[in-house]
Amino acid sequence: MNDINTYFQELIENKKWKALRLEVLNLEPFQVAEVIENLSEEEQIILYRVLPRELAKETFKHLSSDDQEHIIESLANNVKKITDLLNDLDPDDRTAFFEELPGEVSQRLIQLLSHEEREIARRLLGYPEDSIGRLMTPEYVAIKPHYTVQQALEHIRKFGRDSETLNVIYIVDNRWNLIDDIRIKELILAQPEQRISEITDNRFIALNAYDDQEVAVKAFMDNGRVALPVVGYDGTLLGIVTVDDVMDVAEEESTEDFQKFGGTEGLDLSYTKTSLLEMIKKRSGWLVILFLGEMLTASAMGHFDEEIAKAVVLALFVPLIISSGGNSGSQAASLIIRSLALGELTVKNWWYVMKKEIFSGLALGAILGIIGFIRILVWQEAGFYDYGEFWPWVGISVAVSLVFVVLWGTLSGSMIPFILKRMKMDPATASAPFVATLVDVTGLIIYFTIAALFLTGKLL
């Protein structure tokens, strides 16, 4: 790809416009988008301006939101070019673009659309944010059940040119209620004189325009479709959603979950478009909560200051104990949150998960406990550090503490997402820092309690 970029840069630098136009015609839209994204801002505009109208429309869909906005800004003095571009875009892609822009900019651009396209844009933007209605396009082909196959194919030839996809044709009644869908392959293979009603089974999958977009993601994953119809509450066919739009939503949802799991609120815009003030606001909330939580760690250590004063050696293993519990909790939370997101687990599976994590926690804790004891043994025997005459009991205290702290971390990390899900909250809120902070405080209590059991009358 670097060679292609260099070649296009040379054509632009040498002002070989004719050769540039010919070369872009040999590329697919996604390839042109990749070239544009690797050029300087000035070169991006030059290359985009030489694209034929249809190629420009298709390429625009593959650009990042930042590059799309930059292209629109560069065309600010060419109202006709902007108007043609926006009118040519598929309604769902245009809606996604408008959503990335500030409200006043979107409204100004909407005014440039034709009357028909303006009505479509306003209708799609009128659905709740993050609803399936925002994703759908009204560009599809629908036929009636009384059509013959021959009539249906003629109808498709007449009206299918502007359809988003022709893989699936939708069947509606006189009130435009969806009653079935049929693959184009079945139509082509059927006898011309057969009625559509004779080759359908009235079994179909449809999305509701007001449902959350995550519902669409799951529906596509479960059914392996390239497009699904979207209906209103009364069953009226409103539009279709295609798999490329759903893939974009899945990527956005995954990004938001990663951000939340890292201990920050999900960003409304991309990192580069989020202002410094907004970034601080998104990150400060969780940091303050976690800081207050970590203050409890200091309080917990203060509660055991007498034990620490008598056996300073116990303080050496505090980072080891609390980090092991936090790490095990973060691991468990990651696995459960992802499984809940994929639909592999539901709230009803909490007991199954708890039983599994109890055994996992004990096994993992035992592994770390054995390693911890061996470490103390080796250091003592090799003379790297003198843990005192009661070093075996110190080693046992650390080993047993690791078993219970890791067990507690595993259970906490696996159960908190279920609790949040039950409370109708996003399980991703059970971020790694949150789980780690919780286990830090409780891990200290577990550690010093177990140490007191084994070392009382010896070091304590």
Side-chain angles (χ1 to χ4, degrees), residues 111-143:
Q111 299 306 314
L112 297 178
L113 298 173
S114 66
H115 176 73
E116 181 182 357
E117 294 297 331
R118 191 185 310 139
E119 290 302 311
I120 292 173
R122 284 177 172 163
R123 187 166 70 247
L124 294 181
L125 288 169
Y127 286 102
E129 189 176 356
D130 295 327
S131 68
I132 292 173
R134 292 285 188 103
L135 290 178
M136 71 180 183
T137 174
E139 295 179 348
Y140 59 89
V141 176
I143 56 178

Side-chain angles (χ1 to χ4, degrees), residues 406-453:
V406 170
L407 173 61
W408 170 242
T410 301
L411 288 176
S412 300
S414 60
M415 289 297 107
I416 289 175
F418 282 109
I419 295 171
L420 293 174
K421 185 81 171 177
R422 187 74 178 83
M423 296 170 65
K424 307 297 183 185
M425 296 173 65
D426 188 350
T429 309
S431 63
F434 175 75
V435 172
T437 301
L438 172 65
V439 177
D440 283 355
V441 179
T442 51
L444 282 173
I445 297 172
I446 293 171
Y447 173 45
F448 285 111
T449 301
I450 290 174
L453 288 175

Side-chain angles (χ1 to χ4, degrees), residues 204-429:
F204 61 91
I205 302 162
L207 303 170
N208 188 293
Y210 295 91
D211 282 344
D212 191 274
Q213 293 175 358
E214 288 189 9
V215 176
V217 174
K218 189 173 188 309
F220 273 87
M221 289 175 62
D222 291 344
N223 298 283
R225 302 291 290 272
V226 295
L228 282 174
V230 181
V231 299
Y233 287 119
D234 58 356
T236 303
L237 180 59
L238 301 173
I240 64 172
V241 172
T242 53
V243 68
D244 58 324
D245 297 313
V246 171
M247 287 173 63
D248 292 338
V249 172
E251 183 180 350
E252 290 172 8
E253 293 293 339
S254 296
T255 300
E256 184 180 358
D257 286 346
F258 276 123
Q259 289 168 349
K260 287 182 177 179
F261 198 70
T264 182
E265 293 182 42
L267 300 181
D268 299 321
L269 301 174
S270 65
Y271 182 89
T272 55
K273 295 181 71 175
T274 302
S275 67
L276 177 61
L277 182 62
E278 184 68 14
M279 185 72 72
I280 294 171
K281 189 191 304 181
K282 291 286 187 181
R283 295 168 67 174
S284 61
W286 264 113
L287 281 177
V288 170
I289 293 171
L290 295 171
F291 179 75
L292 294 174
E294 289 293 355
M295 289 174 67
L296 295 175
T297 304
S299 300
M301 290 193 69
H303 181 74
F304 294 101
D305 58 350
E306 292 184 11
E307 286 81 356
I308 294 174
K310 293 177 183 177
V312 179
V313 69
L314 292 178
L316 298 175
F317 299 100
V318 167
L320 175 72
I321 298 294
I322 61 177
S323 65
S324 297
N327 290 340
S328 65
S330 299
Q331 276 187 343
S334 301
L335 293 172
I336 301 306
I337 289 171
R338 188 58 181 163
S339 295
L340 286 171
L342 294 175
E344 298 171 350
L345 293 174
T346 65
V347 177
K348 294 179 181 179
N349 299 126
W350 72 271
W351 178 238
Y352 163 78
V353 172
M354 176 175 275
K355 289 188 294 183
K356 194 169 187 176
E357 291 302 319
I358 286 174
F359 289 109
S360 295
L362 288 172
L364 294 170
I367 292 170
L368 297 184
I370 292 169
I371 294 173
F373 185 86
I374 292 174
R375 191 266 191 196
I376 293 173
L377 170 65
V378 171
W379 256 243
Q380 180 71 29
E381 294 298 326
F384 296 145
Y385 191 89
D386 183 12
Y387 295 104
E389 61 177 311
F390 298 107
W391 70 264
W393 294 102
V394 173
I396 292 172
S397 299
V398 170
V400 174
S401 296
L402 281 169
V403 172
F404 284 99
V405 169
V406 170
L407 173 61
W408 170 242
T410 301
L411 288 176
S412 300
S414 60
M415 289 297 107
I416 289 175
F418 282 109
I419 295 171
L420 293 174
K421 185 81 171 177
R422 187 74 178 83
M423 296 170 65
K424 307 297 183 185
M425 296 173 65
D426 188 350
T429 309

Side-chain angles (χ1 to χ4, degrees), residues 56-63 68 89-90 93 164 244:
K57 179 192 80 169
E58 293 300 321
T59 299
F60 190 83
K61 295 192 298 186
H62 293 282
L63 294 172
Q68 287 180 337
L89 282 176
D90 294 329
D93 295 316
E164 181 88 359
D244 58 324

Side-chain angles (χ1 to χ4, degrees), residues 16-32:
K16 296 183 178 180
W17 311 130
K18 185 175 180 180
L20 187 63
R21 290 190 184 94
L22 292 174
E23 288 297 331
V24 294
L25 294 177
N26 295 322
L27 300 178
E28 294 295 324
F30 76 90
Q31 293 175 311
V32 179

Side-chain angles (χ1 to χ4, degrees), residues 176-223:
W176 216 256
N177 289 326
L178 180 65
I179 57 178
D180 207 348
D181 59 21
I182 186 170
R183 297 177 186 273
I184 192 70
K185 176 183 176 181
E186 296 175 52
L187 273 179
I188 294 173
L189 296 178
Q191 296 300 318
E193 66 278 3
Q194 279 186 286
R195 299 278 180 189
I196 296 300
S197 57
E198 296 175 15
I199 58 174
T200 57
D201 56 11
N202 295 323
R203 294 168 58 191
F204 61 91
I205 302 162
L207 303 170
N208 188 293
Y210 295 91
D211 282 344
D212 191 274
Q213 293 175 358
E214 288 189 9
V215 176
V217 174
K218 189 173 188 309
F220 273 87
M221 289 175 62
D222 291 344
N223 298 283

